[in-house]
Amino acid sequence: MEKDPAAGQQVTDTGTAGVVGRPILFFPAAVLVGLVLDRLLPLPFAIPEADGVPWIVAGSLILIGLALFAAGVRNFSRAATPLPTNQPARVLVTTGIYRWTRNPIYLGFFLIYGGIGVAAQSPWVLILTLPLAITVRYGVVAREEAYLERRFGDAYLDYKQRVRRWL
């Protein structure tokens, strides 16, 4: 065990979270697959185009998603801990947006993704939200949570008790 000077707590060096892939690549890949499926197997889009409703919905989702993403990245940057999941966490970030959600970056990605699906009027992009969510939840978030528990012990367990995973 080593002493983490930034958090003032003991941490165990356990490498990285060992996630199934780079989460930042899952979202654009799902958009591309959805757009290809729209061409190959077209489905009707459920939101009517009247009065620019899809654009208002899409714009709102994208803006809120960008704000969550930016807030999460800013907190990681201020804590001087790496954002990529293939690098070890230096500090357990629990301030800023992380006081309300343990996963603001992924939540932001999902909102941006949904906004793109609505803006593109792509039923397949929206349908692929479910397999994408399952992949992120179990292939990324669950592995990150187990890693953070090993790395930060009781400090992470206390944080998990106080702050919800998503909202």
Side-chain angles (χ1 to χ4, degrees):
M1 274 210 187
E2 63 183 88
K3 182 88 168 162
D4 181 358
Q9 60 196 18
Q10 296 290 331
V11 295
T12 304
D13 187 5
T14 58
T16 64
V19 298
V20 296
R22 300 283 309 269
I24 196 165
L25 300 177
F26 292 160
F27 292 89
V31 167
L32 289 175
V33 169
L35 294 175
V36 167
L37 286 171
D38 282 332
R39 293 283 187 185
L40 298 175
L41 302 166
L43 296 172
F45 190 68
I47 299 176
E49 291 188 48
D51 299 327
V53 170
W55 290 107
I56 293 168
V57 171
S60 299
L61 290 171
I62 291 170
L63 286 175
I64 294 167
L66 286 171
L68 284 169
F69 173 81
V73 169
R74 183 179 58 241
N75 284 133
F76 265 61
S77 178
R78 286 181 179 164
T81 196
L83 189 60
T85 56
N86 61 350
Q87 296 179 26
R90 292 187 191 116
V91 178
L92 179 59
V93 180
T94 61
T95 59
I97 192 72
Y98 289 92
R99 287 180 292 173
W100 295 289
T101 174
R102 295 195 316 255
N103 293 291
I105 294 171
Y106 298 142
L107 188 55
F109 279 159
F110 275 110
L111 291 172
I112 294 165
Y113 177 85
I116 290 169
V118 171
Q121 297 185 4
S122 171
W124 280 109
V125 168
L126 298 176
I127 289 167
L128 290 175
T129 303
L130 181 60
L132 180 60
I134 291 168
T135 301
V136 170
R137 168 61 182 91
Y138 294 101
V140 177
V141 172
R143 291 169 185 233
E144 286 178 345
E145 288 176 344
Y147 164 72
L148 292 171
E149 198 171 310
R150 288 189 312 271
R151 178 112 172 120
F152 297 105
D154 288 341
Y156 182 69
L157 293 173
D158 292 342
Y159 174 63
K160 251 173 77 167
Q161 288 284 12
R162 289 190 325 271
V163 178
R164 299 180 133 222
R165 180 179 288 131
W166 299 108
L167 289 176

